[in-house]
Amino acid sequence: GESVGLHLPTLSVQEGDNSIINCAYSNSASDYFIWYKQESGKGPQFIIDIRSNMDKRQGQRVTVLLNKTVKHLSLQIAATQPGDSAVYFCAENNPGGYNKLIFGAGTRLAVHP
Amino acid sequence: SAVISQKPSRDICQRGTSLTIQCQVDSQVTMMFWYRQQPGQSLTLIATANQGSEATYESGFVIDKFPISRPNLTFSTLTVSNMSPEDSSIYLCSVEVGREGYTFGSGTRLTVV
């Protein structure tokens, strides 16, 4: 299938290390944020979300941190595995007149054994 | 979470022709969203389709090029009209499902020759 993320920045990590993927969002009014994982040939898959009234949220092996002061979002993946290799996108929900999801640029994560 | 089926999954089309992409959801949803993902890039919102009203298009996208239908609460179509090679992209359908965030279909991979 087509390769996703050919032109995106790449983060290379060793298997077992922790990964941190960063994202800057654009709208200070955004109230909801989501991290997605996209593998080649597939649509984006939900990983974890966080609302704007929170600073941190943890899932299984993943943690999302939100810094509203500088409009920054990060995704931490603990004990990175080869199956984590994919492109990761942050997305912000713009409330506006109706909800819509706006995507960030994306980062390709390459996990090496 | 909602399950989205998109058809076709991929197509190769001649320039100047049109392709209609179908999106079927297994539950009733108010809003359906259409995204474009150009090769190696992030997702860009094309338009939001609300049942019973005209779609709302984002800046840079127009109805004549990307007409959308939303005949009921589980189905929508996006047509890519008068195609050129620059329209070669992945086109994705998405829905917002309550607290489960946004779910995506697996996409339609369009190549225009």
Side-chain angles (χ1 to χ4, degrees):
Chain A
E2 293 178 10
S3 294
V4 174
L6 286 177
H7 306 300
L8 300 174
T10 299
L11 174 66
S12 293
V13 300
Q14 291 295 123
E15 181 178 357
D17 287 351
N18 297 334
S19 303
I20 300 176
I21 300 172
N22 296 304
C23 175
Y25 65 91
S26 58
N27 190 341
S28 56
S30 294
D31 58 0
Y32 177 56
F33 305 87
I34 309 175
W35 279 100
Y36 285 95
K37 173 185 181 183
Q38 188 177 29
E39 297 170 293
S40 285
K42 298 182 179 179
Q45 299 171 270
F46 173 94
I47 302 173
I48 191 169
D49 59 0
I50 188 168
R51 300 211 173 263
S52 59
N53 61 351
M54 303 173 68
D55 297 322
K56 180 179 179 179
R57 189 156 189 238
Q58 286 185 291
Q60 188 176 12
R61 278 203 310 121
V62 294
T63 301
V64 55
L65 298 177
L66 174 62
N67 185 331
K68 295 181 287 293
T69 303
V70 295
K71 293 190 286 187
H72 184 268
L73 202 62
S74 69
L75 176 70
Q76 300 177 1
I77 304 173
T80 314
Q81 303 168 0
D84 295 326
S85 293
V87 176
Y88 289 81
F89 295 100
C90 69
E92 59 184 301
N93 183 65
N94 283 172
Y98 57 90
N99 288 338
K100 59 182 179 181
L101 204 59
I102 304 299
F103 278 74
T107 299
R108 188 169 72 91
L109 178 65
V111 183
H112 303 286
Chain B
S1 60
V3 176
I4 298 175
S5 299
Q6 264 187 254
K7 291 181 182 179
S9 59
R10 60 175 66 239
D11 208 342
I12 300 173
C13 300
Q14 296 291 323
R15 66 180 68 199
T17 64
S18 298
L19 175 72
T20 295
I21 302 167
Q22 299 180 5
C23 178
Q24 179 76 51
V25 189
D26 68 345
S27 57
Q28 293 186 341
V29 294
T30 303
M31 310 294 281
M32 296 179 78
F33 304 88
W34 286 99
Y35 286 83
R36 180 177 73 184
Q37 187 174 27
Q38 294 175 301
Q41 304 292 320
S42 185
L43 285 75
T44 301
L45 182 63
I46 297 172
T48 302
N50 193 1
Q51 195 267 335
S53 63
E54 267 196 19
T56 301
Y57 288 82
E58 297 298 306
S59 176
F61 297 96
V62 294
I63 188 171
D64 289 347
K65 176 67 177 177
F66 298 101
I68 288 171
S69 79
R70 184 78 203 275
N72 58 53
L73 291 173
T74 63
F75 188 78
S76 178
T77 67
L78 170 77
T79 298
V80 186
S81 302
N82 188 25
M83 289 184 284
S84 66
E86 291 71 32
D87 294 319
S88 297
S89 291
I90 302 171
Y91 292 86
L92 295 132
C93 170
S94 174
V95 300
E96 182 186 13
V97 188
R99 293 188 170 189
E100 298 169 342
Y102 295 77
T103 299
F104 285 80
S106 55
T108 296
R109 285 146 189 81
L110 171 63
T111 302
V112 183
V113 297

